[in-house]
Amino acid sequence: MKPIFAPALCAFLFVLSCAMNKAPTESNQGATHLTAQPMKPPDAPPDLLLVLVGGLRADFGVPQILESGIRANTVPEHIPMARFQNTYVQSTIPLVSLGTVLTSRYPAAIPLCGLISRLPSDQAEHPWCTELPDMYTTLPELLAIYGYKTAIFHAGISGASLITDGFAEAEDCTVSWQSSQTDWNRVTQSAESWWRDNSGHPRLLVVVTSDLNLSFRKDLVQRMGIPISEAIQLRHHGPWPSEKIAEVYQGEVGQLAESIGGLMTGLHRLGSTTLTTVVGGLNGASLGESTGVGPIPRIFTFHDIPLERTSHVPLLVYGPDNTDTIDIATPTELIDILPTMAWWANAVVPQHAQGTNLLLRATNPYAEGMAYTETGDTLQLRQGQYLYMFRNVRHHMSTIDPRLTAALNNPRGLIITQGLWNIEDDSAQLKNIISQERSKATRLKQSIKRIRNERATPPPDYIHTDELLEMHLTKAEGYW
């Protein structure tokens, strides 16, 4: 192991191994203090690589396919130092999810909304809430203060150019604007060229792809090679994807892992001996299932409806020359990435950041067993083995709309749906147990209320009637 990184890896493994033996209790849930001991960051700032994939699920063996594919295509062979098994996105909309990673804030607290238009960003009409406010220091801006060179290469994320101006270099590597697929040859060549040009500095490279946000008609049917009439029957399969769809999807994951592994190998060959890599999902995906959505009048569901399968994503952390892996079951959030990378870079985390260093997350009683997601008119919370959902049914609702908070606080007279699932036994969300577990649902709703009214709320006096009207007229976000 390289001496330059040994203290960081030892601290990482020590803290996480301690956390594995700490069980959540009713008495410490909701606490806000940290219990972890101080840790020593790396002696010198390491090179950092962050790869985020839209449409990456956490079931059907996907994390294993991703990890084994990376391992088979990296030289030297890369083994993760940690697998975070219960990571949740804070928004199931790719653009918003990326914004939460860059700011370490919940969507409504930024505030940031999605972009429906599939036109190129310079041609699409987009409202004020699709850009990051200047008041926040983003991940690349933070690390640049500490001498890092920064770049992002993205593909298939509608509106990504609206929130990536904090990077010194940004490039859209989508095959074409009609396609969401990534030109991985271009990504690899551009990334290696940029890496080489900035060899005298620590580097932050972010790669964001939407390769697994597969549309049914355009992507999956084409890959299955069967008539559309047969494919429609597969799409309406029920609680699980059909075997054929699952097979196609897993094959796409394998190809993606090969590309990621090739990128990591290329950077290593350029002399990066301290490369620390985080690979995770930007959002999950629905592949034909129709469960967990309650009264939503759709035979099938889209990627952007908050569900277990659309919000639960893999997260792998790689360090240089690592030979051991620890599995972490404690729920974590994507907003934890910024504080973690800041720690590696020995940087001070901005006060506005709402995430927690992944190294500390498992030993923080407040965060223990808790991960929050909000999209459209729906709020979701994973705590322990349970997943709770609150929905105020509205057309074209955005999560940043104050009416959603008002509905949560006083639902009288409104169309409200709620759900509770034991996600460890029922990951397909087949059985809503809210009627049998009223007390548990009430506690989880109170937790969501605290989050929504305190941390996940827009800045005071930030959203006014005119802003809401503009957002609604441009259909910035919503299911319908």
Side-chain angles (χ1 to χ4, degrees):
M1 181 175 295
K2 299 290 187 299
I4 191 171
F5 198 78
L9 181 56
C10 291
F12 193 99
L13 297 178
F14 173 76
V15 171
L16 294 181
S17 62
C18 292
M20 291 177 67
N21 298 317
K22 182 175 181 180
T25 64
E26 289 293 330
S27 61
N28 67 19
Q29 287 175 353
T32 58
H33 60 281
L34 299 179
T35 61
Q37 297 298 314
M39 296 176 296
K40 185 179 183 298
D43 294 334
D47 290 322
L48 300 173
L49 171 63
L50 172 60
V51 181
L52 295 172
V53 181
L56 190 64
R57 292 173 61 135
D59 57 3
F60 287 103
V62 168
Q64 292 79 14
I65 295 172
L66 179 68
E67 181 181 332
S68 62
I70 290 175
R71 184 172 182 174
N73 289 280
T74 48
V75 180
E77 189 176 70
H78 279 56
I79 299 172
M81 68 166 75
R83 304 182 190 98
F84 292 89
Q85 298 173 324
N86 287 307
T87 298
Y88 284 78
V89 302
Q90 280 50 79
S91 173
T92 54
I93 295 177
L95 175 68
V96 181
S97 184
L98 177 58
T100 67
V101 173
L102 297 180
T103 61
S104 187
R105 289 182 69 80
Y106 293 124
I110 297 176
L112 187 67
C113 62
L115 182 67
I116 280 183
S117 175
R118 296 298 183 261
L119 293 172
S121 296
D122 59 351
Q123 299 178 23
E125 181 182 12
H126 56 86
W128 59 273
C129 56
T130 53
E131 300 183 32
L132 298 178
D134 294 334
M135 69 181 81
Y136 302 126
T137 302
T138 61
L139 174 63
E141 292 168 338
L142 173 65
L143 295 194
I145 296 173
Y146 292 85
Y148 273 78
K149 298 298 182 180
T150 65
I152 183 170
F153 299 97
H154 58 85
I157 308 297
S158 181
S161 61
L162 299 172
I163 64 172
T164 55
D165 55 359
F167 289 88
E169 183 168 336
E171 184 176 337
D172 189 340
C173 296
T174 312
V175 173
S176 67
W177 74 264
Q178 298 98 330
S179 168
S180 63
Q181 298 304 293
T182 305
D183 185 341
W184 274 100
N185 287 331
R186 181 178 173 183
V187 169
T188 302
Q189 293 172 6
S190 296
E192 291 184 2
S193 175
W194 176 84
W195 200 265
R196 190 181 300 108
D197 292 343
N198 292 279
S199 59
H201 304 268
R203 293 156 289 196
L204 166 68
L205 174 62
V206 178
V207 176
V208 184
T209 169
S210 191
D211 284 358
L212 297 176
N213 276 327
L214 303 172
S215 68
F216 180 79
R217 183 177 296 272
K218 182 178 179 181
D219 298 314
L220 286 174
V221 173
Q222 182 179 2
R223 287 164 174 75
M224 286 188 291
I226 60 177
I228 184 65
S229 58
E230 294 182 25
I232 288 176
Q233 296 303 313
L234 294 179
R235 181 180 65 185
H236 299 167
H237 193 68
W240 300 104
S242 69
E243 184 176 343
K244 183 66 175 179
I245 291 179
E247 179 183 341
V248 170
Y249 178 77
Q250 290 168 338
E252 294 293 313
V253 174
Q255 292 182 26
L256 177 77
E258 181 178 345
S259 298
I260 295 173
L263 174 63
M264 294 167 66
T265 294
L267 301 184
H268 189 274
R269 285 174 175 168
L270 290 173
S272 181
T273 59
T274 64
L275 181 64
T276 303
T277 303
V278 177
V279 180
L282 192 64
N283 61 286
S286 280
L287 299 174
E289 308 98 310
S290 58
T291 55
V293 295
I296 295 176
R298 289 189 179 277
I299 299 176
F300 63 99
T301 56
F302 290 103
H303 303 313
D304 56 359
I305 296 178
L307 298 161
E308 166 69 7
R309 58 185 173 269
T310 61
S311 59
H312 186 181
V313 297
L315 188 67
L316 302 172
V317 177
Y318 293 83
D321 299 338
N322 188 62
T323 58
D324 298 306
T325 304
I326 289 182
D327 291 313
I328 308 302
T330 303
T332 51
E333 300 176 320
L334 281 195
I335 60 173
D336 297 335
I337 290 175
L338 184 152
T340 307
M341 289 196 159
W343 182 82
W344 279 323
N346 203 13
V348 176
V349 179
Q351 289 186 345
H352 65 70
Q354 296 177 324
T356 301
N357 187 337
L358 285 167
L359 283 62
L360 298 175
R361 180 74 157 163
T363 56
N364 178 353
Y366 170 74
E368 196 164 29
M370 184 180 292
Y372 172 76
T373 304
E374 57 179 40
T375 300
D377 60 6
T378 303
L379 309 175
Q380 176 184 281
L381 186 70
R382 169 73 188 269
Q383 188 173 38
Q385 68 199 71
Y386 294 99
L387 187 74
Y388 171 78
M389 178 272 292
F390 173 90
R391 183 179 182 219
N392 173 208
V393 183
R394 292 179 185 266
H395 298 305
H396 283 304
M397 169 68 83
S398 170
T399 186
I400 70 176
D401 194 320
R403 292 180 299 172
L404 184 54
T405 305
L408 180 65
N409 294 333
N410 183 16
R412 185 173 300 175
L414 300 174
I415 304 176
I416 302 296
T417 63
Q418 300 180 74
L420 181 70
W421 296 268
N422 183 335
I423 219 64
E424 292 183 357
D425 298 332
D426 180 25
S427 61
Q429 295 177 262
L430 288 167
K431 185 179 180 182
N432 186 347
I433 59 173
I434 194 166
S435 60
Q436 296 99 311
E437 297 281 357
R438 287 289 182 185
S439 60
K440 185 64 180 179
T442 298
R443 288 196 296 272
L444 291 178
K445 184 178 181 180
Q446 291 302 318
S447 295
I448 279 190
K449 276 187 176 182
R450 286 195 299 271
I451 294 172
R452 183 71 188 183
N453 284 281
E454 297 172 8
R455 305 176 71 208
T457 188
D461 299 323
Y462 197 87
I463 301 177
H464 302 284
T465 303
D466 290 344
E467 282 84 3
L468 286 175
L469 179 61
E470 178 188 349
M471 183 173 63
H472 295 156
L473 290 177
T474 53
K475 300 181 181 179
E477 183 182 286
Y479 304 143
W480 313 101

